[in-house]
Amino acid sequence: MTEEQKQPEIIDQNPEINTSDGPVDINDSGAESTEATEESTVDESQSTEANLEIEDDGTNSPENEEIFAAFQQENANLKKLLDEKSEQAELTKAQYTRLAADFENFRRRTTKEKENLEVQAKKNVITDLLPVVDNFERARTQLKPETEGEKAIHGSYQGVYKTLVDCLKKMGVSAMRPEGEEFDPNFHEAMLREQTDEYPEGTVIEQLMRGYVLGDTILRHAMVKVAVPKEPVITSEEKKTEQDQQENENTES
């Protein structure tokens, strides 16, 4: 028998799906399909729940708890390290501020000491030169040149004197001019006192030796003569009367 002869027999054995005999009833097949779909959905939801249970079980596992605890410990260690570094930074900042203040004070103190040292060095040198200036001034007032040779010599050493005075002025040295001023013990030294009514008491009459200052520093006090009031003159009669009064007082006592 050939294959073409066998085919109708197969169709006849399944009349429900044979399209040649009439309409086919598909209600049964659709119901079966819906039931299959519902079953597959239930299976998928069950599998999803199972997966969630597996994931939950994995999250709460001891290994994950150990990892989480390790992270927490590491976080605490890092926080502690950060606090230590912050404290160290604040301490370093405070030390830097203190060192900067100390350095500024040191710089100011060094500058002040340097200035004082320069002034003291100038003072020492100029003080040693002041007697030379005094000698030139005495020579100018005491010597009276008469001949041409004497005048030439006088002009020569006066030129040296002028050069020396100019150098001292450039260094900041100035001479005192106390005549007619009130006596000041900070600048003057009283060598003589003269009784006079021409000047008020305590007035500088004459400068015996010139005083010098270097800025605000006194190089040498000016030696001066100071005016004092005259004492009252007692005549012989007033003196005799005073003696008689003293004798009477002694007799009564």
Side-chain angles (χ1 to χ4, degrees), residues 144-160:
K144 302 298 181 182
E146 296 178 356
T147 64
E148 293 297 330
E150 292 176 352
K151 290 180 181 180
I153 296 173
H154 181 76
S156 297
Y157 73 74
Q158 287 301 315
V160 176

Side-chain angles (χ1 to χ4, degrees), residues 37-97:
T37 302
E38 291 177 354
E39 290 178 357
S40 64
T41 304
V42 171
D43 293 338
E44 290 178 356
S45 61
Q46 290 178 355
S47 63
T48 303
E49 292 177 357
N51 292 332
L52 292 174
E53 290 178 358
I54 291 173
E55 291 179 357
D56 293 341
D57 293 340
T59 303
N60 296 326
S61 64
E63 294 179 357
N64 291 338
E65 291 179 356
E66 291 179 358
I67 294 173
F68 184 72
F71 278 129
Q72 286 183 335
Q73 183 64 33
E74 184 68 18
N75 187 20
N77 293 335
L78 291 176
K79 184 178 180 181
K80 182 179 179 181
L81 181 61
L82 178 61
D83 294 338
E84 292 177 356
K85 295 297 182 182
S86 300
E87 183 178 357
Q88 184 177 1
E90 292 295 332
L91 180 61
T92 304
K93 183 178 179 181
Q95 292 177 350
Y96 171 78
T97 303

Side-chain angles (χ1 to χ4, degrees), residues 100-118:
D102 292 341
F103 177 76
E104 182 65 19
N105 294 332
F106 171 76
R107 185 185 65 81
R108 292 178 180 177
R109 185 172 60 254
T110 304
T111 303
K112 186 65 176 178
E113 291 177 354
K114 182 180 179 181
E115 293 176 354
N116 294 336
L117 183 61
E118 291 178 354

Side-chain angles (χ1 to χ4, degrees), residues 233-243:
V233 179
I234 301 176
T235 61
S236 58
E237 295 180 355
E238 291 177 351
K239 186 175 182 180
K240 184 178 180 181
T241 303
E242 185 179 353
Q243 292 177 354

